[in-house]
Amino acid sequence: MRTYVRMVALAAALMGMSEAATALTTATANLRRTPTTTGAVLGTVPKNTLVLVACSGSTQWCRTTYKGTAGYVARSLLKPVTGSARLTGNGTVYYRTCTQMRAAGVAPVKLGEPAYRTALDRNQNSIACERGE
């Protein structure tokens, strides 16, 4: 949970007035220190990886975090999956495990629904805590 809270706090701080969205990488993407093609490469994000991104205006770069490292990914390598609500307001219920989610009677949940987290979607098919996961 600590990692999730850090990621949300970092995204909120870095986004300013932009909104968070879930995106899928369309190719292996370099995670860069600065929003330029000459920025140092911090790591690579594999193709078809779901990431939470913050893209503002017409910028060609989106801020994201992958495996605990924050950086920028070229917007051209991202396919929006769904937009989420602004990171303000009441928020959603957080479930640490699928067992907790099932006990609450809300499992399985699809991408874009409250309580969905990629950490609970082991096979990355956009459905968290489905039978067998």
Side-chain angles (χ1 to χ4, degrees), residues 95-107 120 122 129 133:
Y95 297 98
R96 183 180 175 113
T97 66
C98 288
T99 302
Q100 290 176 341
M101 193 178 287
R102 287 186 189 101
V106 296
L120 298 178
R122 292 187 186 138
C129 299
E133 276 191 321

Side-chain angles (χ1 to χ4, degrees), residues 11-122:
L14 296 171
M15 288 185 328
M17 295 304 286
S18 61
E19 292 188 23
T22 305
L24 194 66
T25 53
T26 58
T28 299
N30 287 328
L31 182 66
R32 296 190 177 269
R33 181 179 308 275
T34 57
T36 65
T37 56
T38 58
V41 176
L42 304 172
T44 56
V45 183
K47 180 179 180 178
N48 294 324
T49 300
L50 286 170
V51 291
L52 180 66
V53 296
C55 308
S56 59
S58 61
T59 182
Q60 299 302 308
W61 295 88
C62 297
R63 185 78 175 161
T64 191
T65 302
Y66 179 68
K67 290 190 174 181
T69 303
Y72 295 88
V73 173
R75 183 179 264 184
S76 62
L77 299 176
L78 298 169
K79 175 184 170 189
V81 177
T82 183
S84 65
R86 291 183 191 269
L87 297 177
T88 59
N90 297 333
T92 60
V93 177
Y94 174 84
Y95 297 98
R96 183 180 175 113
T97 66
C98 288
T99 302
Q100 290 176 341
M101 193 178 287
R102 287 186 189 101
V106 296
V109 293
K110 295 179 182 177
L111 180 68
E113 294 178 346
Y116 177 86
R117 293 190 307 120
T118 55
L120 298 178
D121 186 5
R122 292 187 186 138

